[in-house]
Amino acid sequence: MLVVTTSGPEAQAYRGYCLESVAASYDIVLITPGEPTWEKEFISDFEIVDPDDAEALAQAGRALADRHQLAGVATWTEWYLTQTARLARRLGLPTNSPEVMEAARNKATARTLFARHGVPSASSMTARTLLEAALAAETIGYPIVLKPAARAASIGVIRVNRAEELPAGFEFASAGARDGIESTHVLVEEYLDGPEVSVECVTYCGHTTAVAVTRKTLGDPPFFEEVAHCVDAADPLLAQVAPVAAAAVKALGITDGVQHVEMRLVNGRPRLIEVNARIGGDMIGHLVSLATGVDLPRAAADVACGLAPDLTSTHSRAAAIRLVYPAYSGTLAERRLDGNFPWLERVSFQREVGDRLVLPQDGGDMFTARIGYLITTGTSAADAQARSTEAYRHLAVQVTPA
């Protein structure tokens, strides 16, 4: 088994559970851009290269293949989806085609495919200049959403309510789009007004199974930072959104893997935002395991090796995560949790006292602003969320304003 991932404290905090889960069933060799630290207890071997360097990645893959019998290649890192597919193809291992992964990564291509296959989505136009964005906005109608065509984690995504806000909004989205690999364009899209959810799916040999639905809580507009998630194994919404999620996966041509399918419920009906061809971030895969017993990292590894995944639900509970952000940008002066609760599954801090925190409105993003998270469990979504609120009240966080 070969996993392409990132290293460092952020990867440990949000993807450590993936590596631990897969290591329980597979021998893992790792391709990573930096010297492994916390990963070493879970891996058998590694190569250090930049996964964005296609030739270096191929050489690292061949070197590992010379030393080990590889069965599959996988990644849970959004930025490496296309590169990982290319590597698997070069090694003759199971994979979606790189072209399919590029389509999933490029939101403009994905919108075209959704429309072609009749998947309900948002109206969308590509803009390379402010003038093109203004013309697109007039065609679609305000409010609109501006976003990079090939980024993730809500980087560069902003709502624009009227024409006067467009120049600043376009500059914000353009800044986020500059580092895109598959595209550096900005999309001008219809604003979908309604609750946001994601559907956690597993696809094997062209058949998609919706495992769970995640209810999301967003921060203050005009940004789209996600501040909380909740997974309830008994959520009745799953039956309604599962067919649309499966149709979106099929429209992109994805035949295998794990998908995090984002959508909004507009007038009670699901409409697609995007399909992420990997396990959801923000510990969502762990929430699914706590709520249902289904192990998404193990399923991703199985499918990558050409094996049918076990998606049997072993229990029915709920789990919630609360992401900790400062009220304003500044320097972190204190962060701790007072109290110990049996239903508090874990608390994790990714920022140390003295660290600088920068919110999106001040030029930052989730990576520069988020302090940490806490996860709670319960018998129902309401129970888990109430406990999340209770634990959040016991957080002591102090930030010195900039």
Side-chain angles (χ1 to χ4, degrees), residues 359-383:
L359 290 165
Q361 56 265 40
D362 298 318
D365 53 45
M366 63 168 282
F367 301 108
T368 61
R370 187 181 295 177
I371 298 169
Y373 63 81
L374 53 87
I375 294 177
T376 54
T377 58
T379 58
S380 66
D383 189 25

Side-chain angles (χ1 to χ4, degrees), residues 278-295:
R278 40 79 183 168
I279 296 172
D282 293 346
M283 298 294 289
I284 286 175
H286 185 58
L287 298 186
V288 171
S289 178
L290 291 172
T292 71
V294 176
D295 188 337

Side-chain angles (χ1 to χ4, degrees), residues 139-309:
T139 301
I140 294 171
Y142 290 96
I144 58 168
V145 175
L146 299 176
K147 65 174 63 171
R151 295 308 302 274
S154 299
I155 293 173
V157 184
I158 188 169
R159 174 177 168 174
V160 175
N161 294 317
R162 52 187 180 273
E164 292 79 7
E165 300 171 2
L166 187 62
F170 185 76
E171 175 56 33
F172 179 80
S174 297
R178 288 178 190 131
D179 293 329
I181 298 173
E182 289 79 7
S183 173
T184 57
H185 292 161
V186 170
L187 299 185
V188 182
E189 297 195 339
E190 170 190 11
Y191 173 66
L192 301 178
D193 191 5
E196 184 167 335
V197 303
S198 63
V199 188
E200 318 314 326
C201 299
V202 179
T203 303
Y204 175 65
C205 291
H207 176 73
T208 298
T209 301
V211 174
V213 60
T214 304
R215 306 265 186 163
K216 299 176 177 295
T217 302
L218 302 182
D220 294 332
F223 307 103
F224 290 83
E225 290 293 335
E226 296 170 353
V227 298
H229 307 281
C230 185
V231 177
D232 187 342
D235 195 325
L237 183 61
L238 182 60
Q240 179 185 357
V241 297
V244 178
V249 172
K250 184 176 181 180
L252 292 177
I254 296 172
T255 58
D256 295 280
V258 175
Q259 301 85 37
H260 172 68
V261 184
E262 297 180 326
M263 58 183 71
R264 282 203 168 198
L265 305 177
V266 181
N267 297 321
R269 296 184 178 182
R271 294 183 63 187
L272 256 293
I273 297 175
E274 63 191 38
V275 174
N276 301 282
R278 40 79 183 168
I279 296 172
D282 293 346
M283 298 294 289
I284 286 175
H286 185 58
L287 298 186
V288 171
S289 178
L290 291 172
T292 71
V294 176
D295 188 337
L296 289 180
R298 170 63 188 273
D302 289 342
V303 172
C305 293
L307 303 175

Side-chain angles (χ1 to χ4, degrees), residues 1 52 55-56 75 122 124 126 138 143 166 192-193 238 273 279 282 299 317 321 325 333 346 364 375 377 383 389:
M1 175 67 180
D52 286 330
E55 189 52 41
T75 185
S124 178
T126 300
E138 290 300 323
L166 187 62
L192 301 178
D193 191 5
L238 182 60
I273 297 175
I279 296 172
D282 293 346
R317 295 195 288 265
I321 184 170
Y325 286 95
R346 70 180 64 186
I375 294 177
T377 58
D383 189 25
T389 300

